[in-house]
Every structure is written in C-alpha cells, then in structure tokens.
C-alpha cells in the first residue's frame, strides 16, 4: 500500500442498514491491505452504531443501526478513518502451517486438476505447498479463510456444479484462491486434499484457526500422520 | 428449574434469540429468529426481555411436555396449538399446569411459529447468543435442531421477587394478549419492498421490468440460509460471478441462471453474485414467514421510505397498548 498517498475509496449503499467501501475493483495485495487496515482501525476505535463488519478482497461491508446513521453521515465519518489508513500499523502477521494429506479420497479432484494443466499430480502438490499465502479475509461460513495467491500454473475454474457435501477439512482451489472447508457444507472448489486440523472450534480462544492477514503454508503429510494429527 | 421435554420435535425446531451481531470478520453470520417481530412480542407476552431465547418451529410444530408447568405464549404463524386437547389462540400468553402437554400441528398460515416461555430457554451462549447456526452446528441446543427426548431448561423467572420458578409465580402472573388493531399492521406481507442493491446498475431496464413485474414462487429449498425463488429468469447481463464481497441480510442476489436468491439469517457472510436489490429491514420478518410455493412480488422503495417504514414499525412495537392483559384471568384449559 502506498504510504505517501491518500487512499481512494468508493462508497456504495448495500441495504437500508449497510454500505460497502471499495478500494479499487480488483484483487490486489494493496487493496486488501487497505481493507485490513480499515478493519483494524474500526476494531481499535469502534464507531458507535456500527453493528458488524464483513471484510473481503477489496471491500468492506459495514452494517449499521439504521436509527443512528444515515448512509451519507456514516460515509463522512468513515471517510475520516480512511484518511488515516496510511498511518495504521497492522500487527505482525503470524505464519501458520497447515498439514494436508493430498489425493486419494481426500483429494478427489487432484488427478483431474493435474490433467487439466498437463502436470503430474506430485507437481500440483509441490506447487500448492511451495507458496506462502495471505489470508485475505474470512467469509462464507465461520472460519473459512480465503487464501491467495495460487501459483499461476494451478489457476483452475470452480466446478460447474458444486458438490452438495464437501467434508470438513477439505482443501480446495478455485480461480487463483485456495482454502480449507471448516465444516461439511456444499462447495464448488476443486478438492486437492484434506487437513486433519479443525479450522473452527469453540473450545479455543479466537475460535478460528486462521485470522485475516495471517500467512499460511501447506505441509504435505502421509495418511498415517493425518490420522495421528486428527483430534479425538 | 423448570423444563420442557420434547416428545416430538416437529419438522425443524431450533433455539433462537435475536442473533449474534459483530462476528463478520470471522465469517460468522448473526443467525437469530427468522421472524424477529414474533419473537420480540412473544417474549413480552411472558414477561421476558425481547431478546430472550425461544423455540422456533418450521411448518410443522412439535409436542412438548411441561413437567413443572410454565407461563408460555405462541406467536408468529398459527400451528393449530392445543394444551391437553383444548385450543389455544396465538398471540396470547397462557399458563401451563405441571404435567400438561402442548401439541402443535401443521401451519395454518406462514412458515414459523415461536414458543416463548417465561424465563426463556437456557442454553450455553455461543458468542453471546443462544441462536442455533445449523450449517456450522454452533449455538443453540448442541448446535442442532431439536430431537425427540431432548430436555430443555428454562431460565429463571423474570417476575420480580421470584428468584426461581414456582407455582406461586405462575398464579400471580397475568395472561396477556396482543391488541389486534396493532398486530394487524405488523403481520407479514407477500409484496416485499426492496431498495437498490450495490450492483443494481449492472442490470438492464429489461431485467428491472422482470424483477419488479413478475410474480416469484418460493422454492422448496428455501431455508434459514436463503430463499431460492422460481419465476421468469432475468435477461442476460449483470448476473454471474464477480469478486466476492460482504453481503447484507435480505440481499437479492442474481445467480448464474438469472434467478434471484434472497439471503437470509444464516446467510454466508460474503458472496460472489451481483446483488440487484435488498429487502428493506421492515420486511425481514415477512421473509421469515414465507413458505415454499408462496408467491411474492418485489416493490421498489427509496432508502428514505425504507427508513420511515422501519421507524413506523418500531413505533408500533413500542406502543403502550400493543400488549394488554386479557379480560378475566385466562388459566388455560383445565
């Protein structure tokens, strides 16, 4: 993010109690950094009457109390926050390692993804595990981290028709993103493997294993190691 | 502590309050009652805070035994309730004697009925709320819909001077009902008012003509996450995938086939479809009463109108004569 320039943001009304702030219209590390800085600032210095925040790649949805704010008033208030973004210091990112057992029944789409790109399945695993990803945001369901960017050789469109049930822990790719399904949900991402870790649990401080801004690496593990790592 | 024994759960019965707000950064949506107006009024009928936890039943109600009695109320849709065989009117509180059984059937009106009991349903809160989030199995009673044999505890009585539930508390609390003239103005609508969505500009006039002219039918797959609609698809242009962004409650998103989906209380927190419109806050409770195959239409509203309608609704809910004591102390069927 440019630290010497003013950040430009665009407001859009999403509903009678929410508005969207866009930092550009593309998925870029800079735009996402603006989102994370604004989220951080709004968490540090909450605006009264703001009820919820939904960060994404290059936008932040702000839900507010309709009786306390009109869109234009809240936009002015948020504009002051946005004006301070270049001075916001984000906490040092954590590096998180996520073990994954690739292929087989855990990664039913590994061979097809490999074939689509003319790669050996092992090469797909190598590419997937060699990058350090950024958690752009958590969304969709509790604890689902949108990770980017995927190696260019692995960029693959999502499945034409989503699976009705994707098992919890499944590691998938879609477009230039990758992520781990925290719960058994429907899903259209192509599945390369499965992690034994619980991505979201209520008996842990912070609940979600990953937080926005974290750096993530995937580590390949054997079927045996997977079984050992699986919580009882 | 008094309890409710679930003899039959009904089709889909969950513990809900007014939801958990503020956890969007973790991907946790608020959840909460699908018809918050019904929940709020139901709680007031039994002397609870509006936000207390209650049972939300869907399309087909359950059968509940009260071994120690209770003060209860049913709000929302009429599920043909009886207490030990005697009919119970909705929107009225009633006393349940120890050992009596409350039986609900299939709906006679909308999708959801709320069973509110004095003291509320006591469950371990998750992120500050008792609401069940079914998809992730979090909150509520073990994160799931109720099953036969479940036993729910009720919180302490809200009656001043009564630290715990007792027959004395029951005999001193008066039964209440909702003033019909006010209730009438809070009942669910089938014409949903919407404001422009964040991508409304992506859609052609032809698409607008379809969305605001057509009648849509609620699909069988409608649930607490979203209401899928059937009807004329919108003409090409605008719909399809986009960069994922935060989505708001009541967003009318247009999926690849040109068919609208209304995001609901257990919504995903972010999504990648264009939102053409958004149901106004004053009509959220109406969404909660839509059944599969119900026919709906969309009507455009300005943000100013949406705000005024919400203010009007809150004024009705705050009206002093919304809830009145029933004439004669209705003790319920003997």
């Amino acid at each position: 993010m440019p630290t010497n320039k003013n950040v430009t943001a665009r407001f859009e009304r999403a509903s009678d109690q929410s508005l969207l702030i866009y930092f550009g219209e593309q998925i870029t590390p800079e735009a996402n950094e603006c989102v994370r800085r604004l989220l951080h600032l709004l968490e540090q210095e909450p605006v009264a009457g703001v009820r919820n925040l939904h960060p994404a790649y290059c936008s932040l949805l702000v839900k507010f109390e309709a009786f306390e704010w009109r869109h234009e008033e809240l936009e002015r208030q948020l504009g002051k926050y946005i004006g301070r973004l270049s001075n916001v210091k984000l906490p040092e990112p954590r590096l998180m390692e996520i073990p994954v057992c690739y292929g087989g029944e855990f990664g039913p789409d590994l061979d097809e993804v490999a074939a689509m790109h003319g790669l050996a399945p092992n090469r797909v695993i190598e590419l997937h595990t060699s990058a350090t990803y950024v958690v752009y945001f958590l969304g969709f369901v509790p604890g689902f981290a949108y990770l980017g960017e995927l190696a260019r050789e692995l960029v693959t469109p999502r499945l034409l028709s989503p699976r009705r049930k994707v098992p919890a822990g499944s590691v998938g790719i879609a477009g230039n993103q990758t992520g781990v399904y925290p719960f058994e949900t429907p899903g259209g991402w192509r599945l390369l493997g499965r992690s034994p870790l619980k991505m979201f649990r209520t008996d842990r401080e912070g609940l979600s294993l990953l937080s926005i801004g974290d750096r993530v690496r995937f580590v390949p593990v054997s079927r045996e190691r997977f079984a050992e790592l699986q919580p009882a | 502590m008094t309890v409710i024994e679930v003899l039959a759960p009904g089709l889909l019965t969950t513990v809900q309050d007014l939801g958990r707000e503020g956890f969007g950064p973790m991907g946790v949506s608020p959840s909460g009652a699908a018809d918050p107006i019904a929940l709020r009024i139901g709680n007031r009928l039994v002397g609870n805070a509006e936000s207390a936890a209650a049972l939300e039943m869907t399309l087909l109600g359950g059968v509940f035994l009260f071994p120690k009695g209770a003060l209860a109320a049913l709000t929302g849709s009429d599920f043909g309730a009886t207490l030990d065989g005697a009919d119970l009117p909705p929107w009225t509180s009633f006393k349940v004697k120890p050992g009596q059984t409350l039986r609900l059937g299939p709906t006679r009106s909308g999708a959801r009925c709320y069973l509110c009991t004095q003291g509320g349903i006591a469950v371990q809160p998750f992120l500050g709320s008792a609401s069940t989030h079914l998809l992730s199995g979090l909150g509520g009673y073990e994160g799931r819909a109720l099953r036969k044999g479940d036993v729910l505890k009720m919180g302490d009585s809200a009656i001043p001077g009564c630290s715990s539930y007792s027959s004395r508390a029951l005999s001193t609390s008066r039964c209440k009902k909702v003033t019909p003239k006010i209730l009438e103005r809070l009942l669910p609508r089938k014409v949903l008012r919407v404001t422009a969505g964040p991508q409304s500009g992506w859609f052609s006039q032809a698409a607008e003509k379809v969305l605001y002219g057509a009648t849509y039918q609620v699909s069988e797959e409608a649930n607490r996450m979203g209401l899928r609609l059937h009807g004329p698809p919108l003409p090409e242009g605008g719909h399809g995938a986009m960069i994922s962004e935060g989505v708001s409650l009541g967003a009318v998103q247009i999926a690849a086939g040109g068919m609208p989906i209304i995001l609901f209380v257990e919504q995903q927190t972010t999504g990648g479809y264009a939102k053409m419109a958004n149901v106004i806050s004053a009509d959220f409770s109406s969404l909660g009463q839509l059944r599969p195959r119900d026919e709906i239409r969309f009507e455009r509203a300005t943000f100013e109108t949406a705000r005024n309608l919400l203010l009007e609704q809150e004024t009705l809910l705050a009206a002093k004569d919304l809830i009145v004591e029933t004439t004669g102390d209705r003790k319920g069927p003997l």
Side-chain angles (χ1 to χ4, degrees):
Chain A
M1 182 177 128
T3 48
N4 53 348
K5 271 191 278 173
N6 279 333
V7 175
T8 53
R10 182 170 68 83
F11 292 101
E12 197 71 65
R13 295 173 182 196
S15 75
D16 59 15
Q17 52 170 339
S18 63
L19 60 83
L20 275 156
I21 305 157
Y22 293 99
F23 297 100
E25 315 292 327
Q26 282 177 339
I27 303 174
T28 62
E30 293 76 21
N32 188 250
E33 170 106 15
C34 290
V35 172
R36 284 185 278 127
R37 287 188 186 207
L38 181 56
L39 175 67
H40 185 73
L41 195 55
L42 285 168
E43 285 175 339
Q44 297 295 307
E45 300 174 30
V47 175
V50 165
R51 300 171 65 198
N52 214 335
L53 301 164
H54 295 224
Y57 287 113
C58 50
S59 64
L60 181 69
L61 180 86
V62 179
K63 184 174 181 181
F64 58 87
E65 204 60 69
F67 299 124
E68 286 182 48
W69 291 102
R70 286 170 191 271
H71 290 86
E72 58 273 20
E73 294 161 353
L74 185 57
E75 284 171 22
R76 270 198 298 278
Q77 177 71 10
L78 292 170
K80 293 181 200 161
Y81 278 67
I82 293 164
R84 294 165 53 199
L85 287 193
S86 52
N87 298 322
V88 173
K89 220 177 135 38
L90 287 172
E92 269 306 301
R94 301 182 301 171
L95 178 66
M96 309 292 284
E97 290 199 336
I98 296 183
V100 182
C101 181
Y102 285 91
E105 60 163 305
F106 288 167
D109 301 324
L110 175 66
D111 291 345
E112 198 188 325
V113 167
M116 285 169 86
H117 297 289
L119 300 168
N122 271 339
R123 179 64 186 146
V124 172
I125 298 171
E126 212 173 272
L127 285 165
H128 193 251
T129 52
S130 58
T132 301
Y133 303 99
V134 177
V135 177
Y136 282 130
F137 65 98
L138 281 79
F140 174 48
V141 293
F144 189 102
Y146 285 76
L147 306 171
E149 291 195 7
L150 205 58
R152 200 177 298 166
E153 298 97 307
L154 290 185
V155 173
T156 316
R158 63 186 70 210
L159 295 171
L160 275 178
S161 75
R163 289 186 171 89
R164 287 200 169 264
K165 278 184 180 181
V166 173
S170 294
V171 177
I173 60 170
N176 61 359
Q177 355 162 59
T178 181
V180 187
Y181 285 87
F183 301 97
E184 181 185 279
T185 54
W189 291 24
R190 292 177 196 265
L191 308 181
L192 303 183
R194 198 178 298 171
S195 174
L197 299 188
K198 284 208 74 155
M199 304 306 291
F200 194 95
R201 51 199 291 180
T202 51
D203 58 353
R204 164 172 67 208
E205 180 130 12
L207 304 163
S208 176
L209 183 67
L210 300 177
S211 299
I212 190 165
D214 283 348
R215 304 296 193 266
V216 175
R217 287 186 76 93
F218 292 107
V219 181
V221 296
S222 66
R223 192 71 197 241
E224 293 70 37
R225 185 77 187 122
F226 178 94
E228 284 166 23
L229 290 169
Q230 219 168 12
Chain B
M1 185 177 290
T2 186
V3 295
I4 304 177
E5 285 181 31
V6 180
L7 303 184
L11 189 64
L12 179 81
T13 301
T14 56
V15 177
Q16 300 294 344
D17 58 14
L18 290 177
R20 52 184 71 80
E21 202 63 83
F23 303 97
M26 264 195 282
V28 178
S29 56
S31 197
D35 179 350
I37 292 179
L39 178 78
R40 289 168 65 185
I41 294 178
N43 274 325
R44 280 170 58 183
L45 284 170
V46 295
N48 291 344
E50 285 191 339
S51 58
L55 297 186
E56 176 181 286
M57 294 173 272
T58 317
L59 300 171
L60 173 70
V63 181
F64 307 97
L65 172 69
F66 293 79
K68 297 179 184 174
L71 179 69
L74 293 160
T75 56
S77 290
D78 180 359
F79 279 28
T82 58
L83 186 63
D84 275 1
D87 288 344
L88 284 171
W91 303 98
T92 307
S93 61
F94 53 92
K95 291 171 186 173
V96 184
K97 289 184 169 173
Q100 282 192 311
T101 301
L102 174 67
R103 190 176 293 271
L104 297 106
T107 180
R108 295 169 175 178
S109 49
R112 290 179 177 90
C113 172
Y114 293 84
L115 168 58
C116 298
T117 49
Q118 193 168 61
I121 304 290
V123 293
Q124 181 70 34
F126 167 63
L127 293 176
S129 159
S131 284
T132 316
H133 189 275
L134 287 168
L135 183 73
S136 56
L138 298 168
Y141 186 86
E142 296 181 1
R144 59 168 172 82
L146 297 185
R147 294 181 196 144
K148 185 181 173 178
D150 287 344
V151 177
L152 299 157
K153 291 176 183 151
M154 281 187 257
D156 285 341
S157 165
I159 299 174
C162 296
S163 59
S164 67
Y165 217 85
S166 67
S167 51
R168 190 171 58 84
L170 256 185
S171 62
T172 54
S173 52
R174 301 302 263 294
C175 290
K176 292 172 180 168
K177 65 173 188 174
V178 182
T179 307
K181 267 211 147 79
I182 303 180
L183 182 61
E184 187 169 287
R185 297 174 62 189
L186 291 165
L187 289 179
R189 307 162 44 91
K190 295 280 164 61
V191 178
L192 302 171
R193 292 156 301 191
V194 296
T195 49
Q199 286 84 35
S200 56
W202 296 13
F203 294 87
S204 63
Q205 279 193 333
E208 288 187 358
K209 235 177 141 173
V210 175
L211 189 74
Y212 298 114
T215 298
Y216 285 94
Q217 201 182 53
V218 178
S219 110
E220 297 287 341
E221 294 151 75
N223 57 27
R224 288 173 47 85
M225 285 186 73
L227 294 100
R228 219 169 258 279
L229 304 177
H230 292 311
L234 301 189
E236 280 297 332
H239 49 267
M242 49 170 277
I243 297 176
S244 285
E245 63 184 29
V247 287
S248 51
L249 179 60
V252 180
Q253 64 173 29
I254 311 299
M259 209 55 79
I261 299 172
I262 306 172
L263 297 180
F264 204 33
V265 285
E266 276 190 40
Q267 62 170 73
Q268 50 193 74
T269 56
T270 56
Y273 291 113
K275 279 82 62 191
M276 187 170 172
N278 205 104
V279 175
I280 66 168
S281 302
D283 287 350
F284 285 166
S285 279
S286 297
L287 288 176
Q289 291 298 348
L290 290 176
R291 294 167 301 180
R293 294 191 297 281
D294 273 351
E295 294 195 332
I296 58 158
R297 286 193 302 110
F298 293 109
E299 186 179 279
R300 264 187 275 208
T302 62
F303 287 99
E304 197 55 34
T305 302
R307 185 187 166 88
N308 290 336
L309 288 167
L310 186 63
L311 275 167
E312 200 178 289
Q313 191 173 76
E314 287 301 321
T315 307
L316 288 173
L317 284 165
K320 276 208 181 86
D321 53 347
L322 170 68
I323 290 168
V324 292
E325 287 191 1
T326 49
T327 43
D329 198 359
R330 190 190 151 79
K331 288 196 173 75
L334 297 169

